[in-house]
Every structure is written in structure tokens, then in C-alpha cells.
Amino acid sequence: MSTADEKLTIPQVCDELQIARSTFYDWRAKNLGPKCIRLPNRKVRVRRSDLNRWLESQEAA
């Protein structure tokens, strides 16, 4: 699997962004965070490429 296709867990994303899990879910509820994937087992993942794209869009804002 390439790194762009890597699927990160919510704790991994929160660690990388240095935010609380509650902040991530608040952003997600307000459609302010990176695009997420809901797996059939109801777990949430974030593609590395989507996180990087989202971070780049935050720099431009």
C-alpha cells in the first residue's frame, strides 16, 4: 500500500495534528475537518492523501 493510500485511525490523525479527539469530532460534525471514510464495521479512517490535501487547504485560508 502506498503512503498516499494509507488509512489513518482517528487517534493517529489527532496525534499528528496535536488535537484532542473531541476537537476532531467537532470539526467533523461541522464539516471543517478532513474527508473521512466509514468502514462497514463503523470505524472511521482518514486517507493520508485526504489529510495532506486538507492541511494544504488550511495553509491557504
Side-chain angles (χ1 to χ4, degrees), residues 7-11 21 25 28 36-46:
K7 288 159 189 71
L8 304 169
T9 64
I10 300 309
R21 185 177 241 177
Y25 283 112
R28 187 165 184 250
C36 296
I37 303 165
R38 179 165 306 270
L39 301 175
N41 64 359
R42 304 197 45 83
K43 302 278 184 180
V44 175
R45 297 289 184 267
V46 177

Side-chain angles (χ1 to χ4, degrees), residues 3-5 8 16-17 32-37 46-61:
T3 30
D5 290 336
L8 304 169
E16 186 165 328
L17 298 177
L32 297 175
K35 184 177 172 184
C36 296
I37 303 165
V46 177
R47 281 189 187 96
R48 167 63 66 188
S49 58
D50 289 335
L51 179 60
N52 290 341
R53 194 174 304 114
W54 178 80
L55 284 170
E56 288 173 11
S57 74
Q58 299 308 301
E59 288 178 7

